[in-house]
mmCIF file of all heavy atoms in Angstrom:
data_model
loop_
_atom_site.group_PDB
_atom_site.id
_atom_site.type_symbol
_atom_site.label_atom_id
_atom_site.label_comp_id
_atom_site.label_asym_id
_atom_site.label_seq_id
_atom_site.Cartn_x
_atom_site.Cartn_y
_atom_site.Cartn_z
ATOM 1 N N ASN A 746 45.262 -53.703 -42.288
ATOM 2 C CA ASN A 746 46.315 -53.309 -41.346
ATOM 3 C C ASN A 746 46.293 -54.170 -40.087
ATOM 4 O O ASN A 746 47.346 -54.474 -39.530
ATOM 5 C CB ASN A 746 46.164 -51.837 -40.961
ATOM 6 C CG ASN A 746 46.714 -50.914 -42.041
ATOM 7 O OD1 ASN A 746 47.556 -51.324 -42.827
ATOM 8 N ND2 ASN A 746 46.230 -49.699 -42.080
ATOM 9 N N ALA A 749 47.771 -57.425 -40.921
ATOM 10 C CA ALA A 749 49.229 -57.301 -41.047
ATOM 11 C C ALA A 749 49.902 -57.071 -39.702
ATOM 12 O O ALA A 749 51.111 -57.240 -39.581
ATOM 13 C CB ALA A 749 49.572 -56.156 -41.993
ATOM 14 N N LEU A 751 49.766 -54.088 -38.215
ATOM 15 C CA LEU A 751 50.163 -52.679 -38.150
ATOM 16 C C LEU A 751 49.214 -51.882 -37.263
ATOM 17 O O LEU A 751 49.515 -50.773 -36.853
ATOM 18 C CB LEU A 751 50.194 -52.080 -39.559
ATOM 19 C CG LEU A 751 51.205 -52.734 -40.491
ATOM 20 C CD1 LEU A 751 50.972 -52.323 -41.932
ATOM 21 C CD2 LEU A 751 52.618 -52.374 -40.070
ATOM 22 N N LYS A 772 56.508 -58.382 -38.699
ATOM 23 C CA LYS A 772 57.587 -59.095 -39.388
ATOM 24 C C LYS A 772 57.560 -60.595 -39.126
ATOM 25 O O LYS A 772 58.106 -61.366 -39.899
ATOM 26 C CB LYS A 772 58.940 -58.511 -39.004
ATOM 27 C CG LYS A 772 59.332 -58.745 -37.549
ATOM 28 C CD LYS A 772 60.666 -58.056 -37.261
ATOM 29 C CE LYS A 772 60.959 -57.881 -35.804
ATOM 30 N NZ LYS A 772 61.400 -59.052 -35.080
ATOM 31 N N ILE A 776 53.780 -62.457 -43.697
ATOM 32 C CA ILE A 776 52.883 -61.849 -44.677
ATOM 33 C C ILE A 776 53.691 -60.850 -45.495
ATOM 34 O O ILE A 776 54.783 -60.461 -45.099
ATOM 35 C CB ILE A 776 51.751 -61.065 -43.981
ATOM 36 C CG1 ILE A 776 52.363 -60.188 -42.887
ATOM 37 C CG2 ILE A 776 50.698 -61.979 -43.432
ATOM 38 C CD1 ILE A 776 51.567 -59.005 -42.558
ATOM 39 N N MET A 778 52.909 -57.180 -47.905
ATOM 40 C CA MET A 778 51.831 -56.230 -48.188
ATOM 41 C C MET A 778 52.260 -55.275 -49.288
ATOM 42 O O MET A 778 53.403 -54.832 -49.329
ATOM 43 C CB MET A 778 51.504 -55.461 -46.909
ATOM 44 C CG MET A 778 50.274 -54.605 -46.992
ATOM 45 S SD MET A 778 49.649 -54.267 -45.321
ATOM 46 C CE MET A 778 48.379 -53.066 -45.683
ATOM 47 N N PHE A 780 51.201 -51.607 -50.824
ATOM 48 C CA PHE A 780 50.397 -50.455 -50.435
ATOM 49 C C PHE A 780 49.921 -49.679 -51.651
ATOM 50 O O PHE A 780 50.537 -49.708 -52.709
ATOM 51 C CB PHE A 780 51.220 -49.524 -49.548
ATOM 52 C CG PHE A 780 51.595 -50.143 -48.241
ATOM 53 C CD1 PHE A 780 52.757 -50.891 -48.119
ATOM 54 C CD2 PHE A 780 50.783 -50.005 -47.132
ATOM 55 C CE1 PHE A 780 53.105 -51.473 -46.921
ATOM 56 C CE2 PHE A 780 51.124 -50.584 -45.925
ATOM 57 C CZ PHE A 780 52.288 -51.318 -45.823
ATOM 58 N N SER A 782 50.025 -46.553 -52.138
ATOM 59 C CA SER A 782 50.997 -45.540 -52.581
ATOM 60 C C SER A 782 52.348 -46.172 -52.891
ATOM 61 O O SER A 782 53.320 -45.477 -53.078
ATOM 62 C CB SER A 782 51.164 -44.498 -51.494
ATOM 63 O OG SER A 782 51.680 -45.112 -50.330
ATOM 64 N N ALA A 784 54.739 -47.057 -51.402
ATOM 65 C CA ALA A 784 55.639 -46.945 -50.253
ATOM 66 C C ALA A 784 57.029 -47.488 -50.555
ATOM 67 O O ALA A 784 57.608 -48.217 -49.769
ATOM 68 C CB ALA A 784 55.038 -47.655 -49.029
ATOM 69 N N LEU A 785 57.566 -47.134 -51.722
ATOM 70 C CA LEU A 785 58.946 -47.526 -52.019
ATOM 71 C C LEU A 785 59.882 -46.622 -51.235
ATOM 72 O O LEU A 785 59.591 -45.439 -51.052
ATOM 73 C CB LEU A 785 59.215 -47.385 -53.517
ATOM 74 C CG LEU A 785 58.335 -48.250 -54.410
ATOM 75 C CD1 LEU A 785 58.693 -48.020 -55.873
ATOM 76 C CD2 LEU A 785 58.497 -49.716 -54.060
ATOM 77 N N TYR A 786 61.001 -47.176 -50.780
ATOM 78 C CA TYR A 786 61.955 -46.364 -50.025
ATOM 79 C C TYR A 786 62.665 -45.424 -50.996
ATOM 80 O O TYR A 786 63.405 -45.868 -51.869
ATOM 81 C CB TYR A 786 62.950 -47.267 -49.295
ATOM 82 C CG TYR A 786 62.279 -48.390 -48.525
ATOM 83 C CD1 TYR A 786 62.630 -49.709 -48.704
ATOM 84 C CD2 TYR A 786 61.243 -48.101 -47.630
ATOM 85 C CE1 TYR A 786 61.992 -50.728 -48.010
ATOM 86 C CE2 TYR A 786 60.604 -49.113 -46.936
ATOM 87 C CZ TYR A 786 60.980 -50.427 -47.136
ATOM 88 O OH TYR A 786 60.341 -51.428 -46.453
ATOM 89 N N PRO A 787 62.415 -44.106 -50.855
ATOM 90 C CA PRO A 787 62.807 -43.181 -51.917
ATOM 91 C C PRO A 787 64.312 -43.072 -52.160
ATOM 92 O O PRO A 787 64.724 -42.760 -53.263
ATOM 93 C CB PRO A 787 62.230 -41.838 -51.460
ATOM 94 C CG PRO A 787 61.887 -42.005 -50.031
ATOM 95 C CD PRO A 787 61.705 -43.450 -49.762
ATOM 96 N N THR A 788 65.119 -43.331 -51.138
ATOM 97 C CA THR A 788 66.557 -43.139 -51.340
ATOM 98 C C THR A 788 67.266 -44.414 -51.785
ATOM 99 O O THR A 788 68.455 -44.395 -52.042
ATOM 100 C CB THR A 788 67.220 -42.639 -50.041
ATOM 101 O OG1 THR A 788 66.912 -43.557 -48.998
ATOM 102 C CG2 THR A 788 66.709 -41.267 -49.657
ATOM 103 N N MET A 789 66.520 -45.511 -51.866
ATOM 104 C CA MET A 789 67.160 -46.772 -52.250
ATOM 105 C C MET A 789 66.864 -47.099 -53.708
ATOM 106 O O MET A 789 65.802 -46.771 -54.228
ATOM 107 C CB MET A 789 66.626 -47.917 -51.379
ATOM 108 C CG MET A 789 66.937 -47.783 -49.909
ATOM 109 S SD MET A 789 66.346 -49.241 -49.041
ATOM 110 C CE MET A 789 66.241 -48.611 -47.387
ATOM 111 N N PHE A 797 65.590 -55.109 -49.255
ATOM 112 C CA PHE A 797 65.677 -54.496 -47.920
ATOM 113 C C PHE A 797 65.270 -55.470 -46.817
ATOM 114 O O PHE A 797 65.981 -55.643 -45.824
ATOM 115 C CB PHE A 797 64.801 -53.241 -47.866
ATOM 116 C CG PHE A 797 64.804 -52.556 -46.525
ATOM 117 C CD1 PHE A 797 65.918 -51.878 -46.078
ATOM 118 C CD2 PHE A 797 63.690 -52.605 -45.696
ATOM 119 C CE1 PHE A 797 65.927 -51.255 -44.847
ATOM 120 C CE2 PHE A 797 63.684 -51.984 -44.454
ATOM 121 C CZ PHE A 797 64.812 -51.300 -44.037
ATOM 122 N N GLY A 798 64.135 -56.111 -47.028
ATOM 123 C CA GLY A 798 63.647 -57.047 -46.021
ATOM 124 C C GLY A 798 64.649 -58.157 -45.741
ATOM 125 O O GLY A 798 64.896 -58.519 -44.596
ATOM 126 N N VAL A 801 67.626 -56.762 -43.802
ATOM 127 C CA VAL A 801 67.285 -56.574 -42.396
ATOM 128 C C VAL A 801 67.293 -57.913 -41.658
ATOM 129 O O VAL A 801 67.705 -58.009 -40.513
ATOM 130 C CB VAL A 801 65.897 -55.900 -42.279
ATOM 131 C CG1 VAL A 801 65.417 -55.919 -40.846
ATOM 132 C CG2 VAL A 801 65.964 -54.477 -42.785
ATOM 133 N N ARG A 802 66.864 -58.953 -42.364
ATOM 134 C CA ARG A 802 66.809 -60.273 -41.729
ATOM 135 C C ARG A 802 68.109 -61.057 -41.875
ATOM 136 O O ARG A 802 68.153 -62.255 -41.595
ATOM 137 C CB ARG A 802 65.671 -61.086 -42.361
ATOM 138 C CG ARG A 802 64.294 -60.611 -41.970
ATOM 139 C CD ARG A 802 63.245 -61.179 -42.923
ATOM 140 N NE ARG A 802 62.077 -60.320 -42.980
ATOM 141 C CZ ARG A 802 60.954 -60.539 -42.303
ATOM 142 N NH1 ARG A 802 60.841 -61.583 -41.536
ATOM 143 N NH2 ARG A 802 59.947 -59.693 -42.415
ATOM 144 N N PRO A 830 63.369 -45.002 -57.154
ATOM 145 C CA PRO A 830 61.926 -44.956 -57.427
ATOM 146 C C PRO A 830 61.490 -43.710 -58.197
ATOM 147 O O PRO A 830 60.580 -43.775 -59.018
ATOM 148 C CB PRO A 830 61.313 -44.957 -56.021
ATOM 149 C CG PRO A 830 62.300 -45.670 -55.189
ATOM 150 C CD PRO A 830 63.654 -45.334 -55.749
ATOM 151 N N SER A 831 62.146 -42.580 -57.937
ATOM 152 C CA SER A 831 61.728 -41.346 -58.615
ATOM 153 C C SER A 831 62.008 -41.402 -60.110
ATOM 154 O O SER A 831 61.515 -40.575 -60.863
ATOM 155 C CB SER A 831 62.429 -40.142 -57.992
ATOM 156 O OG SER A 831 63.817 -40.320 -58.054
ATOM 157 N N ARG A 845 58.780 -56.387 -54.089
ATOM 158 C CA ARG A 845 59.194 -56.372 -52.694
ATOM 159 C C ARG A 845 58.380 -57.389 -51.894
ATOM 160 O O ARG A 845 58.866 -57.974 -50.941
ATOM 161 C CB ARG A 845 58.970 -54.970 -52.133
ATOM 162 C CG ARG A 845 59.867 -54.630 -51.002
ATOM 163 C CD ARG A 845 59.856 -53.164 -50.719
ATOM 164 N NE ARG A 845 58.502 -52.664 -50.520
ATOM 165 C CZ ARG A 845 58.236 -51.408 -50.193
ATOM 166 N NH1 ARG A 845 59.207 -50.545 -50.049
ATOM 167 N NH2 ARG A 845 56.999 -51.008 -50.039
ATOM 168 N N ARG A 849 59.561 -62.625 -50.951
ATOM 169 C CA ARG A 849 59.505 -63.257 -49.656
ATOM 170 C C ARG A 849 58.832 -64.625 -49.644
ATOM 171 O O ARG A 849 59.011 -65.371 -48.719
ATOM 172 C CB ARG A 849 58.758 -62.341 -48.681
ATOM 173 C CG ARG A 849 59.417 -60.990 -48.488
ATOM 174 C CD ARG A 849 60.047 -60.948 -47.142
ATOM 175 N NE ARG A 849 59.191 -61.625 -46.202
ATOM 176 C CZ ARG A 849 58.158 -61.066 -45.610
ATOM 177 N NH1 ARG A 849 57.894 -59.805 -45.809
ATOM 178 N NH2 ARG A 849 57.413 -61.765 -44.792
ATOM 179 N N PRO B 392 55.303 -40.155 -45.965
ATOM 180 C CA PRO B 392 54.121 -41.011 -45.809
ATOM 181 C C PRO B 392 54.314 -42.092 -44.740
ATOM 182 O O PRO B 392 55.370 -42.726 -44.683
ATOM 183 C CB PRO B 392 53.953 -41.659 -47.179
ATOM 184 C CG PRO B 392 54.849 -40.943 -48.105
ATOM 185 C CD PRO B 392 55.837 -40.162 -47.324
ATOM 186 N N GLU B 394 53.057 -44.895 -44.700
ATOM 187 C CA GLU B 394 53.120 -46.234 -45.294
ATOM 188 C C GLU B 394 54.551 -46.715 -45.465
ATOM 189 O O GLU B 394 54.808 -47.913 -45.499
ATOM 190 C CB GLU B 394 52.382 -46.238 -46.637
ATOM 191 C CG GLU B 394 50.890 -46.069 -46.439
ATOM 192 C CD GLU B 394 50.098 -46.285 -47.712
ATOM 193 O OE1 GLU B 394 50.691 -46.169 -48.801
ATOM 194 O OE2 GLU B 394 48.895 -46.561 -47.607
ATOM 195 N N LEU B 395 55.481 -45.752 -45.549
ATOM 196 C CA LEU B 395 56.890 -46.126 -45.625
ATOM 197 C C LEU B 395 57.293 -46.892 -44.369
ATOM 198 O O LEU B 395 58.004 -47.891 -44.426
ATOM 199 C CB LEU B 395 57.728 -44.845 -45.736
ATOM 200 C CG LEU B 395 58.740 -44.739 -46.863
ATOM 201 C CD1 LEU B 395 58.113 -45.079 -48.191
ATOM 202 C CD2 LEU B 395 59.325 -43.345 -46.900
ATOM 203 N N VAL B 396 56.835 -46.408 -43.240
ATOM 204 C CA VAL B 396 57.145 -47.071 -41.969
ATOM 205 C C VAL B 396 56.458 -48.428 -41.916
ATOM 206 O O VAL B 396 57.058 -49.434 -41.521
ATOM 207 C CB VAL B 396 56.690 -46.200 -40.784
ATOM 208 C CG1 VAL B 396 56.980 -46.894 -39.476
ATOM 209 C CG2 VAL B 396 57.374 -44.849 -40.828
ATOM 210 N N LYS B 397 55.198 -48.454 -42.360
ATOM 211 C CA LYS B 397 54.468 -49.721 -42.340
ATOM 212 C C LYS B 397 55.167 -50.754 -43.211
ATOM 213 O O LYS B 397 55.336 -51.910 -42.804
ATOM 214 C CB LYS B 397 53.042 -49.506 -42.851
ATOM 215 C CG LYS B 397 52.180 -48.688 -41.916
ATOM 216 C CD LYS B 397 50.759 -48.611 -42.448
ATOM 217 C CE LYS B 397 49.873 -47.818 -41.512
ATOM 218 N NZ LYS B 397 48.522 -47.622 -42.076
ATOM 219 N N ALA B 398 55.558 -50.331 -44.397
ATOM 220 C CA ALA B 398 56.225 -51.263 -45.309
ATOM 221 C C ALA B 398 57.506 -51.787 -44.675
ATOM 222 O O ALA B 398 57.806 -52.984 -44.745
ATOM 223 C CB ALA B 398 56.528 -50.569 -46.636
ATOM 224 N N ALA B 399 58.243 -50.895 -44.037
ATOM 225 C CA ALA B 399 59.510 -51.311 -43.428
ATOM 226 C C ALA B 399 59.278 -52.250 -42.250
ATOM 227 O O ALA B 399 60.041 -53.187 -42.032
ATOM 228 C CB ALA B 399 60.300 -50.088 -42.987
ATOM 229 N N LYS B 400 58.207 -52.003 -41.511
ATOM 230 C CA LYS B 400 57.892 -52.891 -40.391
ATOM 231 C C LYS B 400 57.611 -54.292 -40.908
ATOM 232 O O LYS B 400 58.043 -55.283 -40.324
ATOM 233 C CB LYS B 400 56.643 -52.389 -39.658
ATOM 234 C CG LYS B 400 56.911 -51.317 -38.630
ATOM 235 C CD LYS B 400 55.616 -51.090 -37.844
ATOM 236 C CE LYS B 400 55.646 -49.801 -37.069
ATOM 237 N NZ LYS B 400 54.315 -49.446 -36.557
ATOM 238 N N ILE B 401 56.847 -54.369 -41.990
ATOM 239 C CA ILE B 401 56.535 -55.684 -42.543
ATOM 240 C C ILE B 401 57.800 -56.339 -43.084
ATOM 241 O O ILE B 401 57.990 -57.540 -42.990
ATOM 242 C CB ILE B 401 55.450 -55.555 -43.629
ATOM 243 C CG1 ILE B 401 54.127 -55.246 -42.944
ATOM 244 C CG2 ILE B 401 55.354 -56.817 -44.455
ATOM 245 C CD1 ILE B 401 52.984 -55.050 -43.858
ATOM 246 N N ASP B 402 58.696 -55.511 -43.625
ATOM 247 C CA ASP B 402 59.971 -56.034 -44.110
ATOM 248 C C ASP B 402 60.838 -56.532 -42.963
ATOM 249 O O ASP B 402 61.852 -57.181 -43.199
ATOM 250 C CB ASP B 402 60.718 -54.953 -44.895
ATOM 251 C CG ASP B 402 60.433 -55.063 -46.387
ATOM 252 O OD1 ASP B 402 59.929 -56.116 -46.815
ATOM 253 O OD2 ASP B 402 60.716 -54.103 -47.125
ATOM 254 N N GLY B 403 60.475 -56.165 -41.748
ATOM 255 C CA GLY B 403 61.205 -56.713 -40.600
ATOM 256 C C GLY B 403 62.095 -55.718 -39.887
ATOM 257 O O GLY B 403 62.828 -56.084 -38.979
ATOM 258 N N ALA B 404 62.055 -54.446 -40.313
ATOM 259 C CA ALA B 404 62.921 -53.457 -39.680
ATOM 260 C C ALA B 404 62.269 -52.916 -38.412
ATOM 261 O O ALA B 404 61.058 -52.822 -38.322
ATOM 262 C CB ALA B 404 63.201 -52.321 -40.650
ATOM 263 N N GLY B 405 63.081 -52.560 -37.445
ATOM 264 C CA GLY B 405 62.576 -52.003 -36.192
ATOM 265 C C GLY B 405 62.781 -50.501 -36.141
ATOM 266 O O GLY B 405 63.152 -49.880 -37.139
ATOM 267 N N ALA B 408 66.420 -49.358 -37.167
ATOM 268 C CA ALA B 408 66.753 -49.689 -38.552
ATOM 269 C C ALA B 408 65.971 -48.795 -39.508
ATOM 270 O O ALA B 408 66.509 -48.309 -40.505
ATOM 271 C CB ALA B 408 66.450 -51.153 -38.829
ATOM 272 N N ILE B 409 64.710 -48.545 -39.214
ATOM 273 C CA ILE B 409 63.902 -47.682 -40.074
ATOM 274 C C ILE B 409 64.469 -46.269 -40.044
ATOM 275 O O ILE B 409 64.569 -45.599 -41.065
ATOM 276 C CB ILE B 409 62.427 -47.686 -39.623
ATOM 277 C CG1 ILE B 409 61.841 -49.084 -39.757
ATOM 278 C CG2 ILE B 409 61.614 -46.703 -40.447
ATOM 279 C CD1 ILE B 409 60.416 -49.216 -39.244
ATOM 280 N N GLN B 412 68.146 -46.355 -41.827
ATOM 281 C CA GLN B 412 68.238 -46.760 -43.221
ATOM 282 C C GLN B 412 67.231 -46.080 -44.127
ATOM 283 O O GLN B 412 67.438 -46.004 -45.333
ATOM 284 C CB GLN B 412 68.087 -48.273 -43.334
ATOM 285 C CG GLN B 412 69.160 -48.966 -42.505
ATOM 286 C CD GLN B 412 69.269 -50.429 -42.831
ATOM 287 O OE1 GLN B 412 69.219 -50.805 -43.988
ATOM 288 N NE2 GLN B 412 69.413 -51.248 -41.820
ATOM 289 N N ILE B 413 66.138 -45.591 -43.564
ATOM 290 C CA ILE B 413 65.136 -44.963 -44.422
ATOM 291 C C ILE B 413 65.023 -43.472 -44.150
ATOM 292 O O ILE B 413 65.022 -42.665 -45.080
ATOM 293 C CB ILE B 413 63.779 -45.667 -44.253
ATOM 294 C CG1 ILE B 413 63.901 -47.095 -44.773
ATOM 295 C CG2 ILE B 413 62.697 -44.928 -45.030
ATOM 296 C CD1 ILE B 413 62.764 -47.979 -44.417
ATOM 297 N N PRO B 416 68.708 -41.109 -44.523
ATOM 298 C CA PRO B 416 69.105 -40.759 -45.889
ATOM 299 C C PRO B 416 68.185 -39.719 -46.537
ATOM 300 O O PRO B 416 68.579 -39.042 -47.460
ATOM 301 C CB PRO B 416 69.025 -42.098 -46.636
ATOM 302 C CG PRO B 416 69.106 -43.143 -45.593
ATOM 303 C CD PRO B 416 68.482 -42.552 -44.362
ATOM 304 N N LEU B 417 66.965 -39.621 -46.021
ATOM 305 C CA LEU B 417 66.012 -38.647 -46.577
ATOM 306 C C LEU B 417 66.241 -37.254 -46.012
ATOM 307 O O LEU B 417 65.654 -36.291 -46.483
ATOM 308 C CB LEU B 417 64.594 -39.044 -46.154
ATOM 309 C CG LEU B 417 63.817 -40.045 -46.946
ATOM 310 C CD1 LEU B 417 62.507 -40.347 -46.238
ATOM 311 C CD2 LEU B 417 63.543 -39.495 -48.322
ATOM 312 N N VAL B 502 58.418 -35.099 -49.336
ATOM 313 C CA VAL B 502 59.393 -35.988 -49.932
ATOM 314 C C VAL B 502 58.698 -36.738 -51.050
ATOM 315 O O VAL B 502 57.684 -37.369 -50.824
ATOM 316 C CB VAL B 502 59.882 -37.001 -48.895
ATOM 317 C CG1 VAL B 502 60.968 -37.864 -49.487
ATOM 318 C CG2 VAL B 502 60.365 -36.277 -47.669
ATOM 319 N N LYS B 503 59.243 -36.627 -52.221
ATOM 320 C CA LYS B 503 58.603 -37.362 -53.310
ATOM 321 C C LYS B 503 59.207 -38.744 -53.418
ATOM 322 O O LYS B 503 60.376 -38.947 -53.187
ATOM 323 C CB LYS B 503 58.799 -36.602 -54.616
ATOM 324 C CG LYS B 503 58.040 -35.290 -54.593
ATOM 325 C CD LYS B 503 57.598 -34.910 -55.989
ATOM 326 C CE LYS B 503 57.031 -33.497 -56.031
ATOM 327 N NZ LYS B 503 58.080 -32.498 -56.089
ATOM 328 N N GLY B 504 58.332 -39.699 -53.758
ATOM 329 C CA GLY B 504 58.751 -41.099 -53.819
ATOM 330 C C GLY B 504 59.665 -41.385 -54.980
ATOM 331 O O GLY B 504 59.861 -40.607 -55.842
#
Side-chain angles (χ1 to χ4, degrees):
Chain A
N746 281 337
L751 298 167
K772 67 183 163 77
I776 47 155
M778 189 159 172
F780 295 88
S782 62
L785 299 180
Y786 311 126
T788 55
M789 297 184 201
F797 179 71
V801 170
R802 288 164 206 261
S831 57
R845 206 166 54 177
R849 299 253 322 277
Chain B
E394 291 189 339
L395 232 50
V396 179
K397 291 184 179 174
K400 276 189 196 168
I401 288 178
D402 266 344
I409 297 176
Q412 302 194 42
I413 294 168
L417 275 175
V502 184
K503 293 211 189 81

